[in-house]
């Protein structure tokens, strides 16, 4: 058995020792220190030696954890500009009004969060006064990802600044009547203030990384120089448990995104209790970020601790701080000096001696109040270090007390996240604590007053002067008056009108061919942003590699293995393609940054993100919702779509439901095109609507979701006649009739209307032929390009009717006069076509691929789900038999004939 105390082999054992005697001397020196001065002294010397080696550029593994102390000692803090006393008064007003707003709102039962901003107030105020660049200066300003639960404090500052009034604050979380404030940062609800929606938690940090990366992309491609923009993401330590929060930190380090700073408010609490009750979240995060390659700045202790650290001549205090778990630190916040003396200092004789030199007031000041995140000077030093650091992103771990200044009833209490109000007495105590000039008589009928020093007060003038010097108000979102992008040449779209003849072309390939032509457009081609999660070759996009290049901040530092091939793998600093690796979440974050560049940077970009349809909405629907919240524009493309088209892959890859999920998103325009020319019409319309001349009352802040298929089939020519393009855009048009298909039905033949979408239309066309040739039934075939747009139009017609306006849904107009019943077919669950059933006047029935997928051939899968051509025939005959238009025996005969 291996001795657990024996020195284990390491990577160093694999290297030749050129001087074993010297090595032995170093090891003996370490042993001697440990023997004479103790293991703690030996560990201290080793850490300092490793730090010196790292600073000197000596290649060694990084030290992942440092002591539980501030990274920047007090002696090294830079001088802080401005007026600290004035900033303290401003912060006091913001604290008051944030708490007052939530408390007043609580009377209406709308909730709110008080404790988060109370802990983070100085983290924001220091940035607003000294760092956050506004949008009225040069460039695009900074991008601020505000922690969602801290929004009351941001509203309070905007109130002090004159951008909001009391009526706004009184309508916090009450938007229905107008003039209200959304609960969290929300560009769709308050588009002049908020840029980025940061709730759901975890999406903010992920998006911030890709926003910083996209800023570099824009600069490298020569679209706009945004190198002066800095991305700030304000996060909670509990939020870092979300997998998205740290999913891309390696990318940020790998690409040296020193235009990015995470500020993590480490108040050691999440919603229900401690973040790491038995451990230390700061140390865990430090190791995680350091290991990923980030610059880490810890801002843990306030100035009051300087005296304690000066007394720590043995290192006992630092050791004790490293070993005390977070939940116990939280307990110290709520206990008296005697308890702290016994439990914290009493564990070590050296600390017990130190405690004798400290008064009770000093102990309480340190353990109850003095945290690095509560002192402007400490925060300023951390921010200054972050923006000065080059070559890596920075994370600031700022320790605070949740509920700071709100009183003993809030500070560090497990339940403070759910506590929505203070009593009048608690407000009066808070007023005294903050030294605010609010009189007892201002509390009328028990209602806490808002506080404001006056529009021309020194505080407001100072606040506004600081913001003017930094480039205007923040946070702020600017909608630029951009000229519509010119429409690409019509020939790019018209090329699909003639069809593919006898050549088999999958609609996935048709879309890629269209984009390949569009990116060549002299006016708008450079604005396309192709995004793909490591499946470009699956989707036939490798032809874009050499012409567009794959974006890499390093360029191409190697010789590609396929260098001799026409479609070789080409990376470039100005590459246009974002090939993200296997990360749908990262690709969606890319898409969001690109799709909102029209507002963030005043540059309209046209992203298209192509992915396995199964791994889009199912996996990242929360980000699609974020995209809609942020008013993004662009094309999401669900490739290898449908439940039966991806042969052999099985149920994990078989998408039968993405249009259902997409239909829940009000900003998503979902299309399931069957033919190449339909794709061309939809993309042309999408470019016009999102980037061109908008029609009166038309919302440009939408995005398109197109499903495309990997099944190569002949692409038909676009039917002649008026209204085809309109029908494609609106969601339904008649592709052919039994007569135009050359099937020559009898004059009195039973007739049925077959509606198909996507690849299902090919089975529908086959069924049309079988019905005519084998059963004497005339079928007309319709292409349903968008079930959800048909439903949306019908719902709008219903709403108009309630207003007294007469309006007929488009689906009813299109099918008006169509003979016989309707049978709808798709490669998705029946719920997809059934969206429009209630607005169809004819008898309705549907077929779809409900249930789990399976591994087999396309034909076998379609027979399994009952959506193949012969199953459609049987369903059509059954529908006609119920109406008495064919004999009931025909249904049984067809089932037996087709082996169903």
């Amino acid at each position: 058995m291996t001795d657990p105390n024996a020195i284990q082999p390491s990577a160093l054992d694999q290297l030749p020792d050129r001087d074993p005697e010297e090595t032995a001397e170093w090891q003996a020196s370490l042993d001697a220190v440990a023997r004479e001065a103790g293991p703690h002294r030996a560990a201290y010397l080793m850490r300092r030696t490793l730090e010196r080696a790292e600073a000197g550029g000596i290649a060694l593994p990084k030290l992942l954890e440092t002591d539980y102390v501030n990274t920047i000692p007090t002696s090294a803090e830079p001088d802080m500009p401005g007026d600290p006393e004035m900033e303290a008064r401003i912060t006091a007003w913001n604290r008051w009004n944030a708490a007052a707003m939530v408390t007043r709102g609580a009377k209406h039962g709308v909730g709110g969060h008080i404790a988060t901003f109370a802990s983070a107030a100085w983290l924001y105020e220091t940035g607003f006064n000294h760092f956050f660049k506004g949008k009225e200066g040069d460039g695009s300003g900074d991008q601020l990802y505000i922690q969602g639960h801290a929004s009351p404090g941001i509203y309070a500052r905007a109130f002090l600044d004159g951008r909001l009034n009391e009526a706004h604050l009184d309508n916090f979380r009450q938007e229905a009547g107008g003039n209200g404030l959304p609960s969290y940062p929300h560009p769709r609800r308050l588009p002049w203030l908020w840029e980025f929606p940061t709730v759901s938690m975890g999406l903010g940090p992920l998006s911030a990384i890709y926003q910083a990366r996209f800023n570099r992309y824009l600069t490298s491609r020569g679209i706009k120089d945004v190198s002066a923009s800095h991305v700030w993401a304000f996060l909670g330590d509990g939020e870092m448990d979300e997998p998205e929060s740290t999913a891309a930190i390696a990318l940020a380090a790998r690409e040296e995104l020193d235009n990015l700073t995470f500020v993590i408010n480490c108040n050691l609490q999440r919603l229900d209790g401690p973040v790491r009750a038995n451990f230390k979240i700061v140390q865990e995060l430090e190791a995680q970020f350091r290991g990923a390659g980030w610059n880490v700045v810890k801002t843990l202790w306030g100035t009051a601790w300087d005296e304690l650290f000066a007394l720590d001549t043995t290192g006992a205090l630092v050791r004790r701080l490293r070993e005390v778990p977070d939940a116990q630190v939280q307990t110290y916040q709520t206990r008296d000096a005697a308890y702290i003396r016994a439990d914290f200092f009493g564990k070590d004789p050296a600390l017990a001696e130190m405690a004798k030199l400290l008064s009770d007031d000093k102990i309480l000041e340190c353990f109850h109040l003095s945290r690095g995140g509560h002192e402007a000077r400490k925060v300023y030093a951390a921010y200054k270090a972050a923006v000065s650091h080059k070559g890596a992103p920075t994370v600031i771990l700022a320790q605070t007390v949740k509920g700071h200044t709100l009183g003993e009833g809030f500070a560090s209490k497990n339940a403070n996240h759910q506590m929505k109000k203070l009593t009048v007495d608690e407000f009066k105590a808070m007023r005294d604590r903050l030294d605010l000039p609010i009189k007892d008589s201002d509390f009328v009928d028990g209602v806490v007053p808002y506080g404001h020093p006056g529009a021309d007060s020194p505080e407001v003038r100072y606040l506004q002067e600081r913001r003017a010097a930094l480039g205007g108000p923040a946070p702020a979102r600017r909608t630029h008056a951009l000229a519509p992008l010119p429409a690409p040449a019509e020939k790019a779209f018209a090329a699909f009108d003639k069809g593919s003849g006898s050549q088999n072309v999958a609609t996935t390939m048709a879309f890629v061919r269209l984009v390949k032509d569009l990116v060549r457009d002299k006016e708008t081609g450079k604005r396309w942003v192709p995004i793909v999660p490591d499946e470009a070759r699956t989707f036939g996009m490798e032809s874009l590699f050499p012409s567009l290049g794959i974006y890499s901040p390093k360029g191409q530092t190697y010789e590609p293995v396929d260098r001799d091939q026409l479609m070789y793998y080409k990376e470039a600093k100005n590459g246009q393609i974002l090939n993200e690796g296997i990360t749908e979440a990262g690709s969606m974050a890319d898409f969001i940054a690109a799709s909102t560049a029209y507002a963030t940077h005043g540059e309209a970009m046209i992203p298209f993100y192509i992915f396995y349809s199964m791994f889009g909405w199912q996996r990242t629907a929360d980000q699609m919702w974020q995209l809609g919240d942020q008013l993004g524009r662009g094309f999401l493309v669900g490739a290898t779509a449908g439940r039966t088209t991806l042969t052999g892959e099985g149920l994990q890859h078989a998408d039968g439901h993405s249009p259902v999920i997409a239909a829940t998103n009000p900003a998503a325009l979902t299309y399931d095109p069957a033919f190449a020319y339909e794709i061309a019409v939809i993309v042309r319309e999408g470019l016009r609507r999102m980037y061109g001349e908008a029609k009166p009352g038309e919302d440009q802040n939408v995005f398109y979701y197109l499903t495309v298929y990997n099944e190569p089939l002949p692409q038909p020519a676009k039917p002649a006649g008026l209204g085809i393009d309109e029908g494609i855009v609106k969601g339904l048009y008649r592709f052919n009739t039994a007569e135009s298909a050359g099937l020559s039905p009898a004059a009195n033949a039973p007739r049925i209307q077959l509606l198909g979408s996507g690849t299902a239309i090919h089975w529908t066309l086959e069924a049309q032929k079988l019905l005519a040739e084998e059963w004497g039934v005339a079928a007309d075939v319709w292409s349903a390009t968008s079930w959800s747009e048909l439903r949306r139009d019908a719902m709008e017609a219903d709403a108009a009717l309630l207003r007294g306006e007469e309006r007929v849904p488009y689906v009813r107009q299109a099918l008006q006069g169509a003979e016989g019943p309707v049978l709808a077919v798709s490669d998705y669950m029946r719920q997809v076509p059934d969206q429009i059933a209630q607005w169809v006047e004819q008898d309705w029935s549907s077929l779809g691929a409900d249930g789990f997928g399976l591994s087999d051939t396309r034909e076998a899968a379609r027979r399994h789900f009952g959506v193949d051509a012969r199953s459609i025939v049987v369903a059509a005959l059954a529908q006609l038999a119920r109406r008495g238009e064919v004999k009931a025996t025909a249904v049984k005969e067809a089932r037996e004939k087709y082996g169903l």
Side-chain angles (χ1 to χ4, degrees), residues 585-596:
S587 299
M588 267 308 302
D590 263 337
F591 188 91
I592 292 169
S595 70
T596 55

Side-chain angles (χ1 to χ4, degrees), residues 124-142:
Y124 291 105
E125 193 60 37
T126 304
F128 285 131
N129 286 324
H130 301 286
F131 291 94
F132 303 157
K133 294 185 288 291
K135 298 184 178 300
E136 295 173 2
D138 296 334
S140 303
D142 288 353

Side-chain angles (χ1 to χ4, degrees), residues 211-493:
Q211 181 66 57
R213 200 279 195 97
F214 190 74
N215 289 356
R216 291 280 177 84
Y217 173 89
L218 283 179
T219 302
S220 297
R221 290 197 53 221
I223 302 294
K224 182 178 182 180
D225 184 356
V226 296
S227 55
S229 291
H230 199 87
V231 178
W232 299 83
F234 288 84
L235 318 167
D237 48 359
E239 180 179 6
M240 301 312 293
D241 281 348
E242 290 284 6
E244 297 89 351
S245 294
T246 55
I249 61 175
L251 176 143
R254 183 170 65 247
E255 300 204 0
E256 301 178 353
L257 298 180
D258 50 25
N259 61 338
L260 170 68
T261 297
F262 275 17
V263 181
I264 303 181
N265 178 17
C266 298
N267 56 37
L268 313 185
Q269 287 183 254
R270 54 189 179 197
L271 276 61
D272 292 328
V275 178
R276 292 292 182 272
N278 296 297
F279 307 93
K280 302 189 78 65
I281 186 60
V282 168
Q283 300 300 90
E284 179 181 317
L285 291 173
E286 178 184 28
Q288 197 168 7
F289 279 89
R290 277 185 178 274
W294 287 52
N295 175 45
V296 179
V297 177
K298 293 198 292 191
T299 302
L300 308 180
W301 308 111
T303 307
W305 282 82
D306 289 350
E307 179 182 341
L308 276 67
F309 288 123
L311 294 172
D312 185 28
T313 58
T314 66
L317 176 61
V318 173
R319 291 196 300 274
R320 182 70 176 129
L321 290 173
R322 281 177 60 87
E323 69 187 22
V324 175
D326 284 350
Q328 192 63 22
V329 173
Q330 183 182 346
T331 297
Y332 294 149
Q333 175 69 34
T334 65
R335 302 300 292 269
D336 59 19
Y339 178 89
I340 299 170
R341 283 182 187 276
D343 191 87
F344 181 83
F345 293 97
K347 302 293 185 181
D348 186 293
L351 289 180
E353 289 300 313
M354 178 191 297
K356 294 176 181 178
L357 304 175
L358 304 174
S359 67
D360 285 355
D361 287 343
K362 182 65 177 180
I363 289 175
L364 293 178
E365 179 186 13
C366 288
F367 283 84
H368 283 195
L369 302 174
S370 187
R371 300 291 187 275
H374 295 324
E375 294 189 14
R377 183 182 178 89
K378 303 289 186 187
V379 176
Y380 179 87
Y383 287 6
K384 185 74 171 176
V387 297
S388 300
H389 188 82
K390 301 302 177 186
T394 295
V395 58
I396 295 168
L397 304 174
Q399 186 161 282
T400 65
V401 174
K402 194 166 186 176
H404 183 60
T405 74
L406 296 179
E408 294 182 0
F410 269 83
S412 285
K413 296 297 175 66
N414 280 340
N416 60 20
H417 194 82
Q418 280 70 38
M419 297 162 70
K420 312 300 182 187
K421 58 186 178 180
L422 279 71
T423 66
V424 169
D425 287 341
E426 286 173 327
F427 265 111
K428 290 179 179 179
M430 181 182 175
R431 170 203 60 190
D432 297 340
R433 198 177 302 117
L434 298 175
D435 194 24
L436 291 173
I438 297 173
K439 302 185 294 293
D440 285 356
S441 59
D442 293 333
F443 292 81
V444 179
D445 297 327
V447 177
V448 58
Y450 295 120
H452 200 293
D456 195 40
S457 64
E459 292 92 336
V460 173
R461 288 201 306 271
Y462 179 88
L463 181 156
Q464 294 175 341
E465 288 168 0
R466 291 304 309 142
R467 288 311 315 156
L470 287 166
R477 182 180 183 272
R478 292 289 181 264
T479 51
H480 303 265
L482 300 178
L485 292 183
E490 181 62 25
K491 65 179 182 181
F493 305 103

Side-chain angles (χ1 to χ4, degrees), residues 436-728:
L436 291 173
I438 297 173
K439 302 185 294 293
D440 285 356
S441 59
D442 293 333
F443 292 81
V444 179
D445 297 327
V447 177
V448 58
Y450 295 120
H452 200 293
D456 195 40
S457 64
E459 292 92 336
V460 173
R461 288 201 306 271
Y462 179 88
L463 181 156
Q464 294 175 341
E465 288 168 0
R466 291 304 309 142
R467 288 311 315 156
L470 287 166
R477 182 180 183 272
R478 292 289 181 264
T479 51
H480 303 265
L482 300 178
L485 292 183
E490 181 62 25
K491 65 179 182 181
F493 305 103
F496 295 90
D497 289 354
K498 61 184 179 181
S500 65
S502 60
Q503 182 184 5
N504 290 333
V505 177
T507 52
T508 298
M509 183 57 66
F511 177 83
V512 172
R513 287 183 183 177
L514 174 62
V515 171
K516 191 174 181 180
D517 288 339
L518 293 176
V519 296
R520 292 172 178 159
D521 187 84
K522 292 181 180 180
E523 296 291 335
T524 60
K526 68 178 183 180
R527 298 192 176 275
W528 283 87
V529 184
I531 303 168
V532 62
D534 200 35
E535 288 282 3
R537 297 183 190 278
T538 301
F539 307 136
M541 291 176 59
E542 66 270 26
S543 61
L544 299 178
F545 289 170
S547 58
L548 301 184
I550 299 166
Y551 170 73
S552 170
K554 296 288 187 182
Q556 194 156 42
T557 61
Y558 60 91
E559 188 174 24
V561 68
D562 53 0
R563 62 194 176 280
D564 298 327
Q565 298 179 17
L566 180 63
M567 293 183 287
Y568 67 97
Y569 196 82
K570 177 186 175 183
E571 297 188 78
K573 290 182 179 179
N574 64 345
Q576 194 165 348
I577 301 169
L578 292 173
N579 193 332
E580 290 303 359
I582 305 175
T583 167
E584 284 83 8
S587 299
M588 267 308 302
D590 263 337
F591 188 91
I592 292 169
S595 70
T596 55
Y598 73 92
T600 309
H601 295 299
E603 295 288 344
M605 304 300 289
I606 312 171
F608 81 86
Y609 164 35
I610 188 166
F611 49 88
Y612 267 82
S613 64
M614 184 66 166
F615 306 140
W617 287 87
Q618 175 170 293
R619 183 167 289 182
T620 55
D622 202 10
Q623 287 179 284
M624 272 84 162
W625 198 268
Q626 180 190 11
L627 168 64
D629 286 348
Q630 202 167 316
L631 290 77
R633 306 168 183 174
F635 297 96
L636 295 175
V637 184
T640 59
R643 182 148 276 165
T644 69
T645 62
L646 192 54
T647 54
E649 292 286 358
L651 66 89
Q652 297 93 340
H653 288 67
D655 173 21
H657 54 284
S658 68
V660 178
I661 308 175
T664 66
N665 192 309
L669 278 61
T670 303
Y671 286 88
D672 186 26
F675 305 124
Y677 67 80
E678 293 177 351
I679 292 172
V681 170
I682 294 165
V683 171
R684 181 178 59 193
E685 170 65 10
L687 290 172
R688 181 207 63 78
R689 176 166 179 175
M690 295 185 290
Y691 301 97
E693 293 283 357
K695 298 175 183 177
E698 190 173 53
D699 184 7
Q700 286 189 288
N701 299 317
V702 296
F703 60 92
Y704 282 67
Y705 175 54
L706 279 69
T707 51
V708 292
Y709 297 83
N710 70 325
E711 186 171 11
L713 292 163
Q715 294 296 321
K718 186 177 180 180
L722 299 175
I724 298 296
D725 285 8
E726 179 188 22
I728 292 171

Side-chain angles (χ1 to χ4, degrees), residues 781-834:
V781 173
W782 299 70
S783 180
T785 53
S786 179
W787 307 102
S788 61
E789 283 304 291
L790 291 172
R791 175 181 176 82
R792 190 168 286 169
D793 170 82
M795 291 174 66
E796 290 172 359
D798 286 353
L801 188 62
L802 291 175
R803 298 191 299 267
E805 304 170 18
E806 287 295 331
R807 180 177 158 190
V808 179
Y810 173 78
V811 64
R812 190 169 295 166
Q813 295 178 45
L815 291 171
Q816 187 174 14
E819 298 178 34
V822 168
L823 175 60
V825 187
S826 85
D827 201 19
Y828 294 96
M829 54 198 303
R830 289 176 61 182
Q831 186 175 338
V832 175
D834 284 349

